[in-house]
């Protein structure tokens, strides 16, 4: 890859992160992207010159999208759905992990699988498109519920948490504490809570209005997903879900 292409890709990465975390400073962008501050600063200057961003409050320390960028983004958002936004990211996630990526949406008291990118491993976690999985026993469901109030969670799930395996959380106090942990770390885990042989990690996808109504996950047979891998895959899923949310027009609150 030539130097010119690397420069263009760096600028796009910075633009994407500004869109997601605005107003964003050089240090914050450098940390989030794993790029040197000098490279981030050059990308910001290029994007400012091109009219895609401008300084927040007139000081060149924090940056936001320009009206031009917002106009282009709004036109794109109007024509894109969560499946379209997620598919290229899911392919990249499968490449990074080697495991199946699942995209699910909230439907009543279940999460429904609307798209997937399968692993190349012959032994895999098989879930058919259109399948409904329990919200409280799946990583996808917990990722979505973590961004609801306890009252909303109880309304969605009803009075009783059904047991699917010996690992399913069926105590309300324990389950709400689990959702708090999901919210804090940015991804949910599932180790045999719905099906004993499946482990997964998932993160919520937010739409333009800030509602978490979809989630992205990586699933695999439990024997192929150790605790260390769950942490590693969880970080990848969290970043992937953020990219999809940004594509859908979600603007992350400052400091989150």
């Amino acid at each position: 890859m030539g130097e010119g292409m690397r420069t263009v890709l760096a600028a796009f990465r910075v633009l994407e992160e500004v869109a997601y975390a605005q107003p964003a400073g050089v240090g914050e962008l450098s940390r989030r992207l794993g790029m040197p501050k000098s490279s981030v600063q050059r990308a910001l200057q290029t994007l400012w010159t091109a009219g895609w961003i401008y300084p927040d409050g007139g000081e060149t320390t924090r940056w936001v999208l320009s009206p031009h960028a917002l106009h282009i983004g709004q036109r794109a958002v109007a024509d894109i759905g969560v499946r379209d936004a997620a598919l290229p990211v899911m392919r990249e996630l499968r490449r990074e992990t080697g495991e199946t990526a699942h995209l699910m949406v909230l439907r009543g008291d279940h999460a429904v699988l609307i798209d997937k990118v399968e692993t190349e491993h012959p032994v895999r976690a098989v879930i058919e498109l259109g399948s409904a999985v329990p919200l409280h026993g799946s990583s996808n469901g917990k990722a979505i519920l973590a961004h609801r109030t306890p009252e909303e969670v109880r309304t969605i799930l009803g009075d009783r948490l059904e047991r699917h395996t010996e690992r399913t959380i069926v105590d309300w106090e324990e389950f709400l504490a689990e959702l708090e942990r999901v919210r804090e770390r940015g991804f949910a885990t599932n180790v045999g809570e719905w099906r004993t042989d499946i482990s997964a990690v998932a993160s919520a996808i937010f739409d333009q209005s800030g509602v978490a109504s979809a989630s992205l996950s990586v699933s695999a047979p439990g024997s192929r997903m150790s605790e260390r891998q769950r942490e590693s895959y969880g970080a990848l899923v969290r970043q992937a879900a953020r990219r999809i949310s940004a594509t859908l027009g979600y603007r992350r609150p400052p400091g989150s």
Side-chain angles (χ1 to χ4, degrees):
M1 183 185 299
E3 183 63 29
M5 180 59 72
R6 281 193 289 269
T7 300
V8 170
L9 291 176
F12 275 121
R13 289 181 64 201
V14 170
L15 178 63
E16 184 179 68
E17 194 62 31
V18 169
Y20 196 65
Q22 60 182 324
V26 173
E28 178 185 4
L29 292 168
S30 173
R31 184 179 68 256
R32 289 184 180 277
L33 295 169
M35 292 171 56
K37 288 184 179 180
S38 58
S39 298
V40 172
Q41 187 64 56
R42 283 195 299 271
L44 289 168
Q45 292 296 324
T46 298
L47 292 167
W48 187 17
T49 301
W52 290 98
I53 63 173
Y54 69 100
D56 183 41
E59 298 184 7
T60 56
T61 55
R62 300 185 70 77
W63 300 84
V64 295
L65 292 184
S66 69
H68 171 68
L70 291 171
H71 176 67
I72 296 296
Q74 287 166 356
R75 289 183 60 185
V77 166
D79 295 327
I80 195 167
V82 65
R83 185 185 281 107
D84 295 322
L87 187 55
V89 178
M90 293 168 68
R91 288 171 177 155
E92 178 67 13
L93 190 60
R94 192 272 307 273
R95 187 191 66 77
E96 292 176 322
T97 65
E99 301 294 353
T100 300
H102 286 133
L103 176 66
M104 296 194 183
V105 295
L106 179 65
R107 292 288 185 270
D109 60 352
H110 286 78
V112 175
L113 180 65
I114 64 169
D115 210 348
K116 61 180 177 177
V117 178
E118 292 275 17
T119 178
E120 295 181 357
H121 290 292
V123 179
R124 62 188 66 179
V126 179
I127 307 175
E128 298 300 326
L129 289 176
S131 297
V133 304
L135 292 173
H136 75 286
S138 64
S139 61
N140 286 88
K142 289 192 287 185
I144 293 172
L145 291 178
H147 300 280
R148 301 291 197 279
T149 66
E151 293 75 21
E152 289 173 321
V153 172
R154 285 181 177 270
T155 297
I156 292 171
L157 294 181
D159 295 329
R160 180 173 173 269
L161 297 175
E162 183 180 354
R163 182 179 294 281
H164 300 283
T165 75
E166 63 179 13
R167 290 179 174 269
T168 308
I169 301 174
V170 295
D171 177 79
W172 269 106
E173 185 174 342
E174 183 182 354
F175 184 66
L176 293 175
E178 169 72 0
L179 294 185
E180 178 63 26
R181 288 191 291 271
V182 172
R183 191 161 49 250
E184 288 176 355
R185 70 186 173 208
F187 65 90
T189 63
N190 167 25
V191 184
E193 295 174 41
W194 172 47
R195 287 167 44 178
T196 57
D197 59 335
I198 293 181
S199 291
V201 292
S203 190
I205 295 170
F206 297 88
D207 61 21
Q208 188 177 16
S209 60
V211 175
S213 56
S215 59
L216 176 68
S217 68
V218 166
S219 303
S223 60
R224 267 205 322 263
M225 193 180 290
S226 65
E227 181 177 357
R228 177 177 294 182
Q229 286 170 317
R230 288 195 298 274
E231 290 297 317
S232 174
Y233 292 172
L236 291 172
V237 166
R238 182 179 60 222
Q239 290 300 321
R242 287 178 175 180
R243 290 170 59 193
I244 298 168
S245 298
T247 301
L248 294 173
Y250 173 63
R251 178 176 175 179
R252 192 168 66 216
S256 65

